[in-house]
Each structure stands twice: as structure tokens, then as C-alpha cells.
Amino acid sequence: MQKFLFLVLSTLMMFGFSACDGGSDGTGTGTVCTSNTIVGTYTTGKAALDVSVEGDRAVIALGSSGIGVFDVTERNRPRLISTLFQSAQVYSARIHDKYIYAYLKKDADEKHYLRIIDISDLDHPVTRYDMPMDKVETNINTMKSKWIAFEGDYVHLLGQISGEGGDYHILDVSDKSNPLLLSSMDIDGLCGLLTVVNELVLRDNLAYIGSYKGLDIIDFSDRNNPVSLTDMQTPVGCYYKSFELNDDVLYIAGGLSLYTYDIADPENPSYISAIGSSMKYILVSEINATAYTLGLNGEISIVDVTDPDRLVDTDKDIYVNPISYRIVDDRGYVYVADEAGLKIIDTCIR
């Protein structure tokens, strides 16, 4: 028996006690990783409306309190390193290549803008540009991060730019102080009495756009003349649609279901399967055959999507506050912005 225990302990020591690289304490020390646990929190005293992550930086939108910038090198100890007050109501803040792209409403004129903020020197942040926006669609109470997507020196944007037509736009932002609008398109998001275009995911030269109606796939290989490949209704109903991609499988969450579609041929997406629930699904992310979906009561449910033809609810939930948004970064952590502030969940998927 003692020999057996010695062999077991030796094996665990050789492999770091875990199949994943990193520990439950978020420090990456190789300790045992307890999957899907909240490993880090930061209470802001004000609801966080949105979260975005790039490398070891995270930013959250704090409404009238501006934008919080965090060092998340140690995920069990998120550290607030700067608060950027904007004299505005900040609904969304996305970090990309040392710039923050914020959707906000200025206090001075009560109008909405896309603001580009240079944070290469965080002690002296600089607003590079304010683009007037008529609106960006929101879901329920909170702004969702996927109204904007990045592609090198280009920005893809959902919403209505003041003085311009269309609700899907491509901008050249190589000069952050003078973005150039390359093209705009109308996306028909009409479902029932509502027209909502709400989510954007890019892959290669294709843009996947979610709306209350369903799914649009746009070929933007010529950014000055994007072309619609697919304009289809989905069975989700008139709900916010959230998307994620993995190889040739598209995950669509909305209403009471999580759906999978085969998009090997983007001009003819084909339905694969669905899983239903008593809660309303909003996709967090899909990572290594596991989908994290957020319900309206603040529960993150975990769905096994190893087989896209047969989705399986694991019956495991992680509870956060109901008003929340979230993103999974490429190192297997779920970042949650909710009523209390910032939470970081370790999925143990590396």
C-alpha cells in the first residue's frame, strides 16, 4: 500500500498535480487547478457594464465613473492601476493594441460617441478621436462587447454613425486621430416589431453578424465593397443573438436555446443541433469543446459541445450577479463584469 501511494504521489509530482498549466490561485505556479471557480474579485462599488482583456491588462466600463484599467498578471489579485474619468457615461470599453475604444454618452451634450483613447502611457492617457454615434444596440441592461471587432489597422463596427447610412461599418484606424470610413452596409435585423443588430464576430475575410432576425455573413475581402453571402432567419426568435466560432461550427445562443450550425460553406450554413433550457442563453465563449453560457439570473452554465450533433448540459453552474457581461481570454479565464465589479473564473482549460 505504501509503495502504491508513493507511485501515485510521484506521478502527480511529475505532472504538476494537474492536466492544466496553472493553478487555481491564478498565479500559474503549477498547483492543482480546480476548474470553474472564481479565483479573483475586485469590488468597484459601482456596477461594471462591460469587460475586455488583452494580455495582462483588463478594462471595465464603469458608467459615470469612467473606465477602470487593471493589471491581471496574477488573476487571483486583480489590481486597479488607473481610473480614466471621461465626463461621460461609459457603456463599453474595449482594449486593443494599447488603445481603448469606448462607447459613451458625453455629459456636455448628451450625445453618443465612439472614443479612441491612447493608453500607451497610462499616466497620461490621450483622447485621439470622438466619432459621433446615433446608437449602438444594447441587450437588456448592459452594453455587449461584440459591437466592435478588430482586424489589424481596421475596425469593424455595429451601430449608426451620425450622418452616415447603414449599421455595419469598416474603418481604417491606422491614424487613430483621423479614422477613415471605408464602407457601410445595411443589415436587416427586423424581427417582429424590433430591428436590432447586436453582435459581430470576424474570421478570415468574413464577418458574422447577429441580429434579432438571425444571421448575416458578409465577405469583406474588399473592405471598400463588402458583399452579403448569407441573410437568414434562425429559429431562436426575437432575442439577442450571441455567436462563437470553432473550426466550421458556429454556435448561436439566444432565447431558450444554444444552436450549432455547419458553416463550411458560408453561403449555405446548415443547422446541426440545439439544446434547450428554462433560462435564456447568452453565450460567454466556446473553448476546447466546452461552451459557457450566461443566463438572466447570473448563472453561467457549462455545456459539453464535444459533439456538435449532441450538446450536453453538464448541470454545473457558476453564479455571478445577474447584470453581467463576460469574455474568455485565450488562456482559459472567464472575466465577468457585473453589479459588484470584476470577477475572474479559472476554467482550467489551457
Side-chain angles (χ1 to χ4, degrees):
M1 183 65 177
Q2 288 180 334
K3 184 177 181 181
F4 173 75
L5 288 174
F6 173 78
L7 289 173
V8 171
L9 288 172
S10 298
T11 302
L12 288 173
M13 290 176 68
M14 287 175 62
F15 290 96
F17 292 92
S18 175
C20 71
D21 178 19
S24 60
D25 60 359
T27 61
T29 58
T31 55
V32 175
C33 189
T34 306
S35 64
N36 304 316
T37 57
I38 297 173
V39 295
T41 62
Y42 190 97
T43 301
T44 58
K46 187 175 181 64
L49 304 180
D50 188 18
V51 60
S52 175
V53 181
E54 182 179 66
D56 292 325
R57 288 277 174 89
V59 300
I60 60 177
L62 290 169
S64 60
S65 295
I67 300 167
V69 182
F70 290 81
D71 182 338
V72 291
T73 305
E74 294 181 86
R75 291 170 183 82
N76 64 328
R77 299 182 184 92
R79 184 169 61 91
L80 180 65
I81 53 178
S82 184
T83 300
L84 310 179
F85 294 100
Q86 299 297 304
S87 298
Q89 182 78 20
V90 182
Y91 300 106
S92 177
R94 292 290 309 278
I95 184 171
H96 177 71
D97 195 23
K98 297 183 179 178
Y99 288 86
I100 291 176
Y101 296 75
Y103 177 65
L104 51 79
K105 182 171 69 174
K106 286 185 182 179
D107 295 339
D109 58 14
E110 291 291 304
K111 293 182 179 179
H112 296 87
Y113 294 85
L114 166 64
R115 174 169 291 176
I116 303 176
I117 307 166
D118 184 344
I119 59 166
S120 53
D121 180 355
L122 196 52
D123 291 327
H124 301 92
V126 178
T127 295
R128 295 296 181 191
Y129 194 78
D130 277 343
M131 175 177 287
M133 300 287 296
D134 288 335
K135 68 173 180 177
V136 175
E137 297 296 352
T138 60
N139 172 44
I140 313 164
N141 302 304
T142 57
M143 171 62 61
K144 299 304 179 189
S145 287
K146 290 182 180 177
W147 62 280
I148 189 170
F150 306 100
E151 180 223 348
D153 285 333
Y154 302 94
V155 164
H156 296 248
L157 177 69
L158 298 181
Q160 296 178 3
I161 299 174
S162 297
E164 302 291 342
D167 39 31
Y168 164 55
H169 315 276
I170 303 176
L171 289 80
D172 182 340
V173 294
S174 52
D175 180 356
K176 304 296 188 296
S177 299
N178 186 33
L180 299 177
L181 179 62
L182 301 181
S183 59
S184 299
M185 284 186 71
D186 283 316
I187 302 297
D188 176 16
L190 180 63
C191 186
L193 300 176
L194 296 174
T195 299
V196 178
V197 180
N198 62 250
E199 185 129 336
L200 172 66
V201 175
L202 303 182
R203 187 175 72 174
D204 300 326
N205 291 319
L206 299 178
Y208 297 80
I209 298 176
S211 68
Y212 268 35
K213 176 206 65 185
L215 168 66
D216 285 78
I217 303 178
I218 308 298
D219 182 341
F220 60 84
S221 50
D222 179 355
R223 297 184 191 87
N224 293 290
N225 295 286
V227 176
S228 176
L229 300 181
T230 296
D231 175 2
M232 60 177 281
Q233 290 186 327
T234 54
V236 180
C238 297
Y239 293 104
Y240 182 98
K241 311 294 193 304
S242 183
F243 291 170
E244 190 60 86
L245 294 169
N246 185 2
D247 295 327
D248 289 329
V249 178
L250 175 70
Y251 298 86
I252 304 178
L256 302 179
S257 298
L258 174 68
Y259 297 82
T260 53
Y261 278 79
D262 185 334
I263 53 169
D265 179 359
E267 296 189 49
N268 294 287
S270 58
Y271 169 81
I272 302 175
S273 67
I275 184 172
S277 170
S278 59
M279 71 176 190
K280 292 184 179 179
Y281 275 118
I282 301 172
L283 194 64
V284 178
S285 188
E286 189 281 331
I287 178 170
N288 283 22
T290 304
Y292 292 81
T293 62
L294 178 68
L296 296 186
N297 294 319
E299 68 276 29
I300 297 177
S301 292
I302 303 167
V303 181
D304 183 343
V305 294
T306 306
D307 180 0
D309 292 288
R310 184 176 174 271
L311 309 180
V312 179
D313 192 332
T314 64
D315 293 323
K316 297 177 181 177
D317 292 331
I318 311 163
Y319 285 90
V320 293
N321 285 316
I323 301 177
S324 55
Y325 189 65
R326 58 284 172 265
I327 187 169
V328 174
D329 78 355
D330 60 358
R331 287 168 290 181
Y333 292 87
V334 178
Y335 290 77
V336 180
D338 66 18
E339 292 170 309
L342 175 67
K343 291 184 176 68
I344 303 176
I345 298 167
D346 194 346
T347 70
C348 290
I349 298 174
R350 306 286 187 262

